[in-house]
Amino acid sequence: MPGTPTTSSRPARKLLDRSTWPEARRIAAILRKETIGGALLLVAALAALVLANSPWARTYEELRAFEVGPAALHLRLDLATWAADGLLAIFFFVAGLELKREFVAGDLRDARRAAVPVAAAFGGVLLPALVYLAIAGGAGGAQGWAIPTATDIAFALAVLAVIGRSLPEALRTFLLTLAVVDDLIAIVVIALFYTSHLAVLPLLAALVPLAVFALLVRRGVRAWWLLLPAAFATWALVHASGVHATVAGVLLALTVPVAARDGAEATGPAEHFEHRFRPISAGVAVPVFAFFSAGVSLGGLSGLADTLTEPIALGILAGLLVGKPLGILGATWLVSRFTRATLDEGLGWIDMAGLAVLSGIGFTVSLLIGELAFGAAGAEQVKVAVLTGSLAAAVVAMVILRLRARVHAAASPII
C-alpha cells in the first residue's frame, strides 16, 4: 500500500554498531593497557610453569605457601591466597568501575547496543556450563561447572595484538563489552555459588566502611590515606564473612560516581580511579596471581595425557573450545534472527566465529573458580585443563582471524 513502510524499506539495524567517538577513544586506551597486561600475564604464567617443572619446583611451592599478615585479624595468609583474595580484588575493582561506566555513561546504557553483547555473554556462560556438566557432572565434578564460563580479556587482547591491528574496531569493542558483562556474571556466580560459609555479622559490619568510602568519593575526596583504610576494612570484613574477598572490590567500585561534579572536576571519579588502578590491575595484580596460580607439575607428556583424559579436564576443555564459541555464536545468531539486525559493514560471520573462539580463553577467573571449587590440592587438573584449553582457543582463533584477514585482502581491489 502506498505510504505504508515495508520491511524491506526499513534500514536494517546493525548487530555491532560502531561506538561513539569518545567511547571509541576510551576503549582504544583500555585496549593498549590490557594488551600490555596480557603480555605480562603470559610471561608470568610461563615462568610459573617452568619453575613448577624444574629442579626449583620445591622452592616455588615453598614460596606459594609462605605466610604473611596479622594473625590477630585472621589475615595470616599464604602468598598464593593473598594473590587470589587480595590482588584480584583490585582486578574486580577495575572491572566494577568499567561495568558501572558502561551501563551509566557508555554504550551499554543504550538497550539497543547492549542487547547483543549481553545475549552473547549469557550464551557464552550457559552453554559451556551445560557442556561441562554433561561430561563431568556425573564424575564428582559438578561443583566446577562455572570454570569454563569466563573470558580472560587481557589474554584475549594479547592474542589480538599478535594477530595485528587490521581487525575492525567494532569487533574489538564487542570483545571488550562482552568481557565486561562476562565479568559481571562471574562476580555474581562467585558470590552466590562459591561461598562455603557465611558469617552474617562481619558481612553487615562491612557496610560501615563501605558507606564511609562511598561518602568520601561522592564528596570528591581522592586522598589515598583516607580512602585506603576504608577500602581495606571493607575487604577484610568481606573476607571474614566467607564471601570471596574479590566481591569487596566490586562493591567498592559500584559506590564510585561516574559523572563529574559540576565545575569541580575535569573527569568523573570512576574514570579517575580506573585510570589510576587499571595499570596496577593489568601490570601487577593479574600477572602476580598468574604466577602463583598457574604453576602445575605436568609429569611429562604421559602425565599430561593422563590428566587431560580425566572427566573434569575433558569437561573444561569441551566447555572452553566448544561450549563457549557455540554459546556466543548461537546467541548472536538468535538476536539477528528475531530482530532482523545485520552485521556492521565490513564484518562477516567469520569475524564473529574468530571472536567467539577467542572468548574461550578463560584464564584468570577460571583458575580462581577452579581453586574455589576444588581447593588448592584438587585444582591441579583444573590448571592443566584451563591452560591447555586457553592455549588451544588462542591458536584456533588466530588461525580463523588470519584466514579472515587473507580473505578480506584477496577480495580488496588493488589500486
Side-chain angles (χ1 to χ4, degrees), residues 70-123:
L73 299 176
H74 304 287
L75 289 176
R76 187 156 187 84
L77 311 172
D78 57 57
L79 291 180
T81 304
W82 273 113
D85 290 11
L87 288 178
L88 276 194
I90 301 174
F91 166 80
F92 279 102
F93 177 70
V94 175
L97 291 172
E98 175 66 18
L99 179 70
K100 187 170 182 179
R101 277 173 53 83
E102 281 290 338
F103 278 99
V104 173
D107 284 345
L108 287 184
R109 71 185 186 280
D110 181 354
R112 183 178 62 86
R113 288 180 179 271
V116 180
V118 169
F122 274 96

Side-chain angles (χ1 to χ4, degrees), residues 7 10 35 46 65 83 111 140 166 177 185 203 209 240-241 245 270 285 318 330 332-333 348 353 374 381 387 397:
T7 302
R10 294 172 185 162
T35 300
L46 181 61
S166 60
T177 307
I185 298 172
L203 189 60
S241 74
T332 306
W333 181 85
F374 297 105
Q381 66 173 303
L387 291 170

